[in-house]
Amino acid sequence: MSTRRKARRPQSRSGRPRLLSDEVEARLVGASRTGVAVELAAEMAGVSRSSFLAWMARGRAEIEAREAGEKPNPAEEEYAALYERVRTARATAATRAMMNIRRVADGGIVTKVTTRRFRDSVTGDIVEETVEDRTSPDWRADAWYLERQHREHYGKDAIVAVEITGLSGIGVGPEDEPVDLSALAERLDRSLFSVEYPPELEDGNVIDAEVLD
């Protein structure tokens, strides 16, 4: 028999309200929708981090049990509902943040709108002109995305795979030195992850550039 579910604690005889009230749940979901850390979401709701995590664990266990075909447990319903609402809220926050990162990477965000009126020298009519200042594309936002979303390829802790082929049929003479593959891999690792960009690229003013030897 599975011991996945835990019995719900009975309410105190003193009439003390249960900790997971509708107000607490609303605060947890609202805080999660902003994308704050678990500790801060719990603090905003007035509960401990351990309580919040315990409720989420119970809710996840109930959801997984239902997905596995088990009959829903009414005693765990509120925890399952909390888990789904918080999970959706945090996904919403992550999506909104990623959209903002993409906007920064693509550029074109309006930073200033200037409207001026002047008289046309030819027609004499009053003309209104609006000028918008927009941000330039920022490659660093793309770099941030790749480093975190595709860490195995672009992260700072990525593993460099070095493959050397065609050496098996080549003899090594007395004057030749053997190839130290470990040292070669270490040099490649340092060179690939220690790139120093020119100051013009670091300050974000250059949108596209080609580095020539």
Side-chain angles (χ1 to χ4, degrees), residues 8 22 62-63 66 89 106 163 180 186 189-191:
R8 190 175 177 184
D22 293 339
E62 177 63 17
I63 293 298
R66 294 178 183 182
D106 296 338
E163 180 180 359
D180 188 342
E186 184 178 352
D189 184 46
R190 288 197 302 267
S191 63

Side-chain angles (χ1 to χ4, degrees), residues 13 41 51 57-58 74 85 89 104 129 139 148-149 152 179:
R13 292 183 180 181
S51 294
R58 292 177 66 170
R85 293 187 63 191
V104 172
E129 180 183 66
W139 63 268
R148 287 159 177 78
Q149 202 68 8
E152 70 278 11
V179 178

Side-chain angles (χ1 to χ4, degrees), residues 157-172:
D157 55 350
I159 299 176
V160 179
V162 180
E163 180 180 359
I164 299 180
T165 59
L167 297 180
S168 59
I170 300 178
V172 179

Side-chain angles (χ1 to χ4, degrees), residues 57-102:
R58 292 177 66 170
R60 178 177 181 176
E62 177 63 17
I63 293 298
E64 291 178 349
R66 294 178 183 182
E67 292 177 349
E70 296 186 28
K71 185 178 180 180
N73 184 352
E76 300 297 301
E77 177 60 36
E78 63 179 342
Y79 302 109
L82 174 67
Y83 174 76
E84 289 188 323
R85 293 187 63 191
V86 169
R87 183 175 61 174
T88 301
R90 294 188 66 83
T92 300
T95 301
R96 182 173 61 250
M98 184 54 65
M99 290 175 61
N100 288 334
I101 293 172
R102 294 306 319 156

Side-chain angles (χ1 to χ4, degrees), residues 108-170:
I109 301 175
V110 178
T111 58
K112 182 180 179 181
V113 178
T114 304
T115 302
R116 68 186 187 95
R117 303 178 71 184
F118 60 93
R119 186 178 300 276
D120 190 289
S121 60
V122 177
T123 64
D125 297 334
I126 300 298
V127 180
E128 186 175 280
E129 180 183 66
T130 301
V131 178
E132 294 181 344
D133 292 343
R134 295 176 177 270
T135 60
S136 301
D138 192 339
W139 63 268
R140 288 170 294 189
D142 278 328
W144 183 95
Y145 167 79
L146 291 173
E147 181 181 334
R148 287 159 177 78
Q149 202 68 8
H150 300 281
R151 187 176 299 273
E152 70 278 11
H153 298 300
Y154 302 100
K156 294 180 180 180
D157 55 350
I159 299 176
V160 179
V162 180
E163 180 180 359
I164 299 180
T165 59
L167 297 180
S168 59
I170 300 178

Side-chain angles (χ1 to χ4, degrees), residues 13-34:
R13 292 183 180 181
S14 63
R16 180 182 179 182
R18 63 188 179 86
L19 195 56
L20 182 53
S21 63
D22 293 339
E23 182 180 358
V24 169
E25 180 179 353
R27 289 182 179 181
L28 289 172
V29 174
S32 299
R33 192 175 291 115
T34 67

